[in-house]
Amino acid sequence: MSAKLIKGTEIREEILEEISSEVTEIKEKHGKVPGLVTILVGSSPASISYVTLKIKTANRLGFHEIQDDQPDDIAEADLLALIDKYNNDDAINGILVQLPLPKHIDEKKVLNAIDPDKDVDGFHPVNVGRLMIGGDEVKFPPCTPAGIQEMIIRAGVETSGAEVVVVGRSNIVGKPIANMMLQKGPGANSTVTVVHTRTKALDEHCKRADILIVAAGVPGLVKPEWIKPGACVIDVGVNRVGEKPSKKNPDRMVAILQGDVDFDAAKEIAGSITPVPGGVGPMTITMLMKNTLKSLKFKLGLN
Ligand code: NAP
């Protein structure tokens, strides 16, 4: 049996279409569009390519988009002042600071300076607390976990009463997705287990999972025999395992990416599975756009 593929690339297009029509409607009725500022400090190629993708997506959706590039040696106080400026800018609904920041800047201090009502990444302690409480309290669920939940819902996978096992307990993926899946509500109501490097018998926990969410950053960690037949497998891992010539331009080398799950063998056992690349990856920026739209809607009292 070959599992159904849950393609992030397709689900992304569906969601972007939905956002785009909402943006058009709000613009017509209220004369406003979502405003997003992306602050990039320095010139790391990985950060530049990620920010470029965010800007491209924001532009495609008709957002008011500001790219604010700052030099590597910007003083922490100046970066905090810049955030304060955008906190007070009425045209801006979402503030995004591209991580990592240079070593002389306290990342936590910078992220905590963002107005929680413009924290579309959902990393501010206020939004982490709101997520923990759940229900109407939640404003901005963090983007990768929000994308994972959206994929599970749109793939038609039953979550109510399902055994969900999350491999990994990071603040950006493991802990928030575990918290989201156990809340009361659609796409949740699950029984959740979180496993990590200190867990005994990792394989035994995974074998119980109706929905297995893997965010460890270890290529091929999950073996096919750890997967319950028919389970939904969400592979969050993005691991660079080598390089190959680009299809478009064979003179250029591109990364070979592999997930945390042994995909080829797992797809013969799972009921549904996300590929890497093209699975969870495309969902993160999509959910960032959705959060930015939500921020404008909160401001206009439309949520
Ligand atoms: P992280 O901060 O390094 O956390 C990894 C977690 O996995 C930790 O909790 C760790 O346990 C656990 N872990 C590592 N090796 C393990 C093992 N052998 N057995 C059991 N648990 C193990 O990573 P992250 O930021 O959550 O990211 C995880 C993966 O997802 C990475 O490949 C990353 O690139 C990818 N990712 C993708 C997206 C996207 O597609 N949009 C977004 C974010 C992350 P301990 O806590 O015990 O150390």
Side-chain angles (χ1 to χ4, degrees):
M1 187 191 82
S2 206
K4 171 185 163 185
L5 269 191
I6 308 177
K7 292 185 187 163
T9 42
E10 284 177 8
I11 298 175
R12 168 184 63 192
E13 292 308 310
E14 270 173 44
I15 298 174
L16 291 181
E17 278 306 308
E18 290 163 16
I19 296 175
S20 184
S21 52
E22 269 202 81
V23 169
T24 308
E25 198 184 321
I26 292 173
K27 192 176 175 185
E28 275 169 20
K29 286 192 186 153
H30 301 273
K32 305 258 185 217
V33 294
L36 176 68
V37 59
T38 307
I39 301 172
L40 172 66
V41 178
S43 53
S44 134
S47 292
I48 291 174
S49 79
Y50 200 53
V51 163
T52 306
L53 208 55
K54 286 175 187 171
I55 293 165
K56 216 171 123 189
T57 311
N59 285 336
R60 168 183 163 183
L61 296 171
F63 284 17
H64 164 57
E65 204 284 324
I66 298 177
Q67 180 184 0
D68 195 329
D69 292 347
Q70 295 294 328
D72 224 352
D73 60 354
I74 184 174
E76 186 180 277
D78 292 339
L79 185 55
L80 291 171
L82 193 65
I83 289 173
D84 191 50
K85 181 183 101 173
Y86 291 119
N87 279 343
N88 292 299
D89 183 338
D90 250 11
I92 294 297
N93 306 104
I95 301 172
L96 199 130
V97 178
Q98 184 62 42
L99 301 180
L101 291 170
K103 293 219 165 14
H104 67 280
I105 295 177
D106 182 345
E107 221 163 76
K108 205 159 121 190
K109 206 166 166 184
V110 169
L111 294 184
N112 290 359
I114 297 172
D115 178 348
D117 289 344
K118 295 189 179 187
D119 167 42
V120 286
D121 255 339
F123 292 152
H124 192 287
V126 167
N127 285 316
V128 175
R130 285 170 173 161
L131 190 80
M132 177 65 90
I133 296 167
D136 291 348
E137 283 291 334
V138 182
K139 280 205 151 175
F140 307 119
C143 302
T144 302
I148 294 169
Q149 190 179 38
E150 197 69 40
M151 293 179 100
I152 295 172
I153 293 171
R154 290 183 189 236
V157 175
E158 179 60 84
T159 60
S160 182
E163 290 282 341
V164 171
V165 175
V166 179
V167 184
R169 55 177 167 179
S170 71
N171 287 330
I172 61 163
V173 189
K175 278 194 261 181
I177 188 61
N179 183 34
M180 289 161 80
M181 297 308 293
L182 68 78
Q183 298 291 349
K184 283 191 177 178
N189 277 324
S190 306
T191 303
V192 180
T193 305
V194 183
V195 298
H196 45 80
T197 56
R198 306 296 171 93
T199 301
K200 291 174 191 157
L202 192 66
D203 56 336
E204 291 303 321
H205 288 285
C206 293
K207 278 179 198 169
R208 282 191 296 104
D210 300 310
I211 301 172
L212 180 61
I213 301 170
V214 192
V218 180
L221 172 69
V222 172
K223 310 287 176 269
E225 58 274 21
W226 297 12
I227 296 168
K228 182 173 169 178
C232 168
V233 179
I234 306 288
D235 189 353
V236 191
V238 180
N239 307 293
R240 286 166 190 264
V241 293
E243 282 193 331
K244 60 180 179 187
S246 152
K247 271 186 196 159
K248 279 187 199 155
N249 174 6
D251 293 337
R252 201 168 63 86
M253 298 301 278
V254 291
I256 300 174
L257 301 178
Q258 195 186 323
D260 289 351
V261 176
D262 177 353
F263 177 83
D264 287 333
K267 77 177 191 323
E268 300 305 319
I269 300 161
S272 52
I273 188 166
T274 59
V276 177
V280 176
M283 296 299 291
T284 302
I285 290 179
T286 307
M287 301 317 281
L288 177 76
M289 300 301 143
K290 193 163 177 175
N291 276 350
T292 308
L293 170 63
K294 265 174 106 178
S295 179
L296 172 65
K297 285 166 72 182
F298 280 125
K299 197 168 164 221
L300 297 173
L302 301 174
N303 273 312

